[in-house]
Amino acid sequence: MPRTPVTVTVTGAAGQIGYALLFRIASGQLLGPDVPVRLRLLEITPALGAAEGTAMELDDCAFPLLSGIDISDDPNVAFDGTNVALLVGARPRTKGMERGDLLEANGGIFKPQGKAINDHAADDVRVLVVGNPANTNALIAQAAAPDVPAERFTAMTRLDHNRALSQLAKKTGATVSDIRRLTIWGNHSATQYPDVFHAEVAGKNAAEAIGDESWLADEFIPTVAKRGAAIIEARGASSAASAANAAVDHVHTWVNGTPEGDWTSMAIPSDGSYGVPEGLISSFPVTCADGVYRIVPDLEINDFSRVRIDASVRELTEEREAVRALGLI
Ligand SMILES: NC(=O)c1ccc[n+]([C@@H]2O[C@H](COP(=O)([O-])OP(=O)(O)OC[C@H]3O[C@@H](n4cnc5c(N)ncnc54)[C@H](O)[C@@H]3O)[C@@H](O)[C@H]2O)c1
Ligand SMILES: O=C(O)C[C@H](O)C(=O)O
């Protein structure tokens, strides 16, 4: 019997990540090769024409799993019955804009979207926030959706995780598939902490295999944490295909599970683990099974890691205070 299509809403659908993402969702890479999808695209009114153009191209791919496409500029329509909500569209920082202005502008996007998810999404909705500042935008959306279980709101640090895998593979001469148990902690920002102390490269402890703490502190961590800025500098635009790829990875892992013996990184509401204040949407090492994620428990955190996790968590706490002061949560 054919399966009922899963409804996937993508906001910012006419943007550059949207353009890289939609075709991968429609081809079955987000949820699996046997799962039909119905796409709902949300855009601002002036970008509806561009979204229509992308929808025409999706039609022209004749994807067997794509059961339909709806386009709207109304969040109440776009999130109607949605099972997976990918919140990509956000207000970028422009010249002269202060951090508070950016948070406020994004509040104007993520608060109504959270409310629309609350009022119209399917009971099993899962939300991934990609639009920056992703962790705090997820917090804003979550606060506007009190009827949706809080743990369904997540933010993306999988791109950082994938970046760290590649950098570590380059350094050690291993392949990315030789590496397991890497972690991104904290915020999707330059304060994030990519942690290799529990990682393994071809079965050996990664930190021991590298044996060079100064490489970790002075090269690996800043390269991963500032990679987004380096891409903007090189491309003249922020990462798009790799961000879309990470969004696909994040949802695919959440729904289909982590491989035995490995984990991934997701920014999720803290339960207080590892000294991260409860409720902050912070990146943790997680395993996923049966559509549910779980923070990897009982990892020993050394001093090198502790100070870096704390710094990123401090930034998240400040962002939470700022949006609280603006009445956004
Ligand atoms: N978390 C991550 O790892 C990561 C990585 C890369 C980019 N990003 C962020 O993702 C976001 C999108 O990036 P992009 O390159 O696609 O940007 P983009 O500017 O190309 O596209 C954004 C789109 O969002 C739309 N939009 C704006 N407000 C909207 C609203 N209220 N509802 C629906 N759509 C709306 C715009 O019209 C635009 O088409 C940015 O905030 C970027 O910083 C996050
Ligand atoms: O859009 C950005 O500011 C950078 C982006 O979050 C990235 O990590 O590539």
Side-chain angles (χ1 to χ4, degrees), residues 272-316:
S273 295
Y274 297 106
V276 181
E278 208 173 329
L280 276 188
I281 298 194
S282 186
S283 188
F284 286 96
V286 298
T287 51
C288 300
D290 304 320
V292 175
Y293 60 74
R294 182 167 178 262
I295 295 175
V296 177
D298 303 327
L299 296 175
E300 205 176 297
I301 305 296
N302 63 19
D303 292 345
F304 183 96
S305 297
R306 187 73 263 167
V307 39
R308 288 168 171 82
I309 295 172
D310 288 350
S312 195
V313 166
R314 202 174 313 120
E315 182 183 52
L316 282 171

Side-chain angles (χ1 to χ4, degrees), residues 132 159 163 188 228 232 238-239:
N132 281 321
L159 178 54
R163 287 167 171 165
H188 172 67
I232 292 173
S238 72
S239 58

Side-chain angles (χ1 to χ4, degrees), residues 162-199:
N162 289 345
R163 287 167 171 165
L165 281 176
S166 281
Q167 294 301 321
L168 194 53
K170 272 191 192 159
K171 171 72 176 173
T172 57
T175 64
V176 287
S177 40
D178 288 331
I179 303 174
R180 302 191 310 166
R181 302 185 175 194
L182 200 67
T183 305
I184 304 293
W185 297 92
N187 201 0
H188 172 67
S189 77
T191 68
Q192 67 177 266
Y193 171 50
D195 177 0
V196 303
F197 285 98
H198 304 283

Side-chain angles (χ1 to χ4, degrees), residues 19-20 30 58 75 83 104-105 108 157 172 177-178 192 230 233 240 259 324:
Y19 195 72
L30 187 79
L58 283 160
N83 306 105
E104 190 162 22
T157 50
T172 57
S177 40
D178 288 331
Q192 67 177 266
E233 179 68 26
R324 197 170 270 153

Side-chain angles (χ1 to χ4, degrees), residues 16-17 92-93 130-134 156 159-160 163 188-189 192 224-232 237-240 242-243:
Q16 48 153 8
I17 294 177
R93 194 197 286 257
V130 174
N132 281 321
M156 193 165 92
L159 178 54
D160 311 296
R163 287 167 171 165
H188 172 67
S189 77
Q192 67 177 266
V224 174
K226 295 182 188 162
R227 187 72 162 184
I231 302 272
I232 292 173
S238 72
S239 58
S242 57

